[in-house]
């Protein structure tokens, strides 16, 4: 949080994902090629750089206790997008639960702060983008093996993010030198967490 280099952190995460899931893809490679699959993969690859960058920015500008709650509002957007694009419908009680979540969000963050607090605004944007990513992953999960899906999702970011890093060689070097073990540990935990997350999306209703 204190390093204020969201771009370098985002890049390190995406590089790690490409290497780790790319290795897994050699043992679990499956793509059901179709126009729909290609279009959705392209959409996912284009959205992911923005998703990971806003995710890092959210944590840079907001306390974790607040950003983690606000980012949960993606559940509201996921339910809406899944209904519109995947045809998923929930039980009445499920929608009541989402309404309670929304009320809790409003109690946590005063509505007027949503428009003046930079961290809160970024957190809300992150929630919407994350919901789009989740729905795209679900839409692709039956046509593409998860290691291939995650590798492709992260690959464009490896090339796009450096374009927006000024003095990238110096910044990335400085980023890697400071607390390297902690950042590596983060990437390892993120690997297992994200793989488990995508498995849940694949086999359960989004």
């Amino acid at each position: 949080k204190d390093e204020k280099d969201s771009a370098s952190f985002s890049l390190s995460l995406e590089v790690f994902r490409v290497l780790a899931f790319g290795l897994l893809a050699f043992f679990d490679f499956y793509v059901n090629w179709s126009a729909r699959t290609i279009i959705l993969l392209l959409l996912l690859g284009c959205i992911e750089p923005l998703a990971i960058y806003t995710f890092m920015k959210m944590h840079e500008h907001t306390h974790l206790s607040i950003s983690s709650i606000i980012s949960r509002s993606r559940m509201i957007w996921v339910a809406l997008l899944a209904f519109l694009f995947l045809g998923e419908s929930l039980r009445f009680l499920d929608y009541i639960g989402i309404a309670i979540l929304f009320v809790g969000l409003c109690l946590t963050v005063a509505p007027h702060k949503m428009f003046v607090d930079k961290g809160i605004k970024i957190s809300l944007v992150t929630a919407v983008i994350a919901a789009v990513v989740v729905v795209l992953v679900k839409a692709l999960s039956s046509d593409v093996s998860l290691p291939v899906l995650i590798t492709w999702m992260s690959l464009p970011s490896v090339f796009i993010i450096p374009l927006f890093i000024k003095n990238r060689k110096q910044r990335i070097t400085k980023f890697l030198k400071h607390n390297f073990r902690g950042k590596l540990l983060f990437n390892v935990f993120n690997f297992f967490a994200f793989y488990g997350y995508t498995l849940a999306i694949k086999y359960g209703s989004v």
Side-chain angles (χ1 to χ4, degrees), residues 73-144:
S73 65
R74 71 178 182 272
M75 296 177 189
I76 300 169
W77 306 114
V78 165
L80 176 62
L81 293 172
F83 175 77
L84 293 175
F85 297 105
L86 300 177
E88 289 187 3
S89 59
L90 302 177
R91 298 172 302 165
F92 179 72
L93 282 177
D94 295 326
Y95 286 110
I96 293 294
I98 291 173
I100 293 171
L101 177 70
F102 182 74
V103 171
L105 178 66
C106 292
L107 291 174
T108 304
V109 183
H112 69 277
K113 284 188 177 181
M114 293 184 182
F115 302 99
V116 297
D117 188 289
K118 185 176 182 180
I120 290 175
K121 286 191 289 186
I122 294 174
S123 298
L124 290 168
V125 171
T126 302
V128 175
I129 297 172
V132 174
V133 169
V134 167
V135 171
L136 285 172
V137 169
K138 179 63 176 181
L140 284 161
S141 61
S142 59
D143 295 314
V144 184

Side-chain angles (χ1 to χ4, degrees), residues 153-205:
M153 181 178 78
S154 299
L155 189 59
S157 300
V158 173
F159 299 98
I160 293 172
I161 293 175
L163 299 177
F164 298 93
I165 302 178
K166 296 178 180 179
N167 304 316
R168 55 179 174 267
K169 187 176 180 179
Q170 294 89 333
R171 280 176 59 181
I172 293 171
T173 301
K174 179 183 176 183
F175 175 82
L176 292 175
K177 283 183 177 179
H178 182 256
N179 194 20
F180 178 78
R181 289 184 179 180
K183 290 162 184 170
L184 180 62
L185 188 63
F186 166 82
N187 285 332
V188 170
F189 272 101
N190 182 267
F191 168 84
F192 289 106
F194 197 73
Y195 193 54
Y197 184 49
T198 50
L199 278 173
I201 293 171
K202 177 180 176 69
Y203 292 110
S205 61

